[in-house]
Amino acid sequence: MTLLEVKNVKKVYTARFGAAKVQALNDVNFSVEEGEYVAIMGESGSGKTTLLNILASLDRATSGQVLLQGKDLAQIRRKDLCKFRRDHLGFIFQDFNLLDTLNIKDNIFLPLVLAGLDYQEMEKRILPLSVKLEISDILEKYPYEVSGGQKQRAAACRALITKPDLILADEPTGALDSRASGKLLGLLEEVNQEGQTILMVTHSIQAASHAGRVLFIKDGSVFHQIYKGGQGYDTMYRMISDTLTVLQTEAAKTAEVRK
């Protein structure tokens, strides 16, 4: 069943006085099925962050549609957007976005508190997640008392505890060392295998190789996509690397022509 549909999405930014326009996205089309794990890759300035912001309802497309479970995000009233995000989306950010004034447990509970959930239900939800994410022993600590990997697993727990339709991950391994990155990616792959839909923006070939499908964005459009299928991690890694090499070669040729 299709969970997310992106139809003919364009995004044009206008300079302050309207003199210049920059087209960040140009006719982007793709869909994500329930239970998929999709990575989005592209060079800096390709439009992938703009696309993620639109999917997160943090920005609006200039034209086109983004449908989540058939609901057009552009039709949601601005005053209802926060509730919509809280009810349907989970976020994992590169810089964790944890509040130092709250301990890890309260950081994880925050979206549930805002949603008005009963404390017993919150406790019921956090127990299995904290065990799975290996953070049950740090729940009473504060963010500044734990490692980067533990912070990111806490952020993942906060995203998952709301039982969202879709997890949006923005460079989730960007601030982590290789060991912490590997552990987080393994955990994301595990929750995906249990049915959680994930869409991740990343520069990391290692991270993208864990996804079932990779979309490549070039000059604001979907340039290419790769499916893992029954292939292993190493094969997926090589295919992604080869595609990025082609993208970089074409970008270099285009830059040379423009000189």
Side-chain angles (χ1 to χ4, degrees):
M1 181 177 174
T2 301
L3 175 68
L4 176 72
E5 292 181 88
V6 179
K7 298 182 177 181
N8 308 115
V9 165
K10 294 183 180 181
K11 180 63 180 181
V12 178
Y13 291 103
T14 304
R16 186 173 181 182
F17 298 107
K21 294 184 177 181
V22 176
Q23 185 154 315
L25 296 175
N26 179 31
D27 201 28
V28 174
N29 290 274
F30 68 92
S31 61
V32 176
E33 301 298 306
E34 285 188 3
E36 265 201 289
Y37 187 171
V38 178
I40 296 177
M41 302 192 78
E43 294 186 317
S44 296
S46 61
K48 59 186 185 300
T49 299
T50 298
L51 176 59
L52 186 70
N53 287 338
I54 291 172
L55 300 181
S57 70
L58 299 171
D59 197 358
R60 290 186 185 264
T62 304
S63 63
Q65 288 182 302
V66 176
L67 307 174
L68 184 64
Q69 289 192 331
K71 188 174 185 64
D72 189 342
L73 300 192
Q75 300 303 313
I76 301 172
R77 294 179 298 180
R78 290 190 181 276
K79 69 176 185 177
D80 297 327
L81 280 174
C82 287
K83 183 178 185 302
F84 175 83
R85 294 187 202 107
R86 189 172 64 238
D87 292 346
H88 299 281
L89 301 173
F91 299 92
I92 304 176
F93 301 97
Q94 178 178 341
D95 57 0
F96 320 130
N97 280 16
L98 299 173
L99 300 176
D100 279 338
T101 54
L102 300 178
N103 64 24
I104 296 296
K105 188 179 203 178
D106 287 341
N107 266 285
I108 294 168
F109 279 166
L110 188 57
L112 300 184
V113 171
L114 294 173
L117 256 70
D118 179 80
Y119 185 76
Q120 287 185 327
E121 174 63 22
M122 291 192 280
E123 286 285 353
K124 181 181 176 182
R125 290 190 188 189
I126 199 172
L127 180 59
L129 279 176
S130 63
V131 171
K132 179 188 292 291
L133 294 168
E134 300 178 13
I135 57 170
S136 54
D137 59 334
I138 64 162
L139 291 178
E140 301 303 325
K141 293 186 177 182
Y142 286 80
Y144 53 82
E145 297 178 306
V146 302
S147 70
Q150 289 171 321
K151 288 179 186 176
Q152 194 58 295
R153 295 201 302 277
C157 188
R158 180 183 57 193
L160 290 164
I161 202 167
T162 62
K163 300 181 179 179
D165 298 321
L166 177 64
I167 291 285
L168 296 173
D170 184 11
E171 298 285 2
T173 62
L176 305 180
D177 60 30
S178 58
R179 182 177 177 276
S181 293
K183 180 170 284 191
L184 177 67
L185 291 169
L187 289 166
L188 288 178
E189 193 167 5
E190 184 178 340
V191 298
N192 169 249
Q193 290 169 354
E194 293 171 355
Q196 177 64 59
T197 310
I198 302 172
L199 192 149
M200 172 177 61
V201 166
T202 183
H203 281 100
S204 167
I205 300 176
Q206 177 199 13
S209 298
H210 286 262
R213 177 163 56 118
V214 181
L215 297 174
F216 296 89
I217 303 291
K218 177 188 176 186
D219 298 330
S221 299
V222 177
F223 168 76
H224 187 54
Q225 60 181 328
I226 291 174
Y227 289 86
K228 179 182 280 185
Q231 299 170 108
Y233 172 87
D234 291 340
T235 301
M236 189 68 167
Y237 189 102
R238 186 170 61 253
M239 290 193 300
I240 294 170
S241 181
D242 289 346
T243 301
L244 289 175
T245 299
V246 171
L247 279 170
Q248 290 163 0
T249 301
E250 291 194 359
K253 287 180 179 178
T254 301
E256 188 66 28
V257 169
R258 288 174 178 172
K259 285 183 178 180

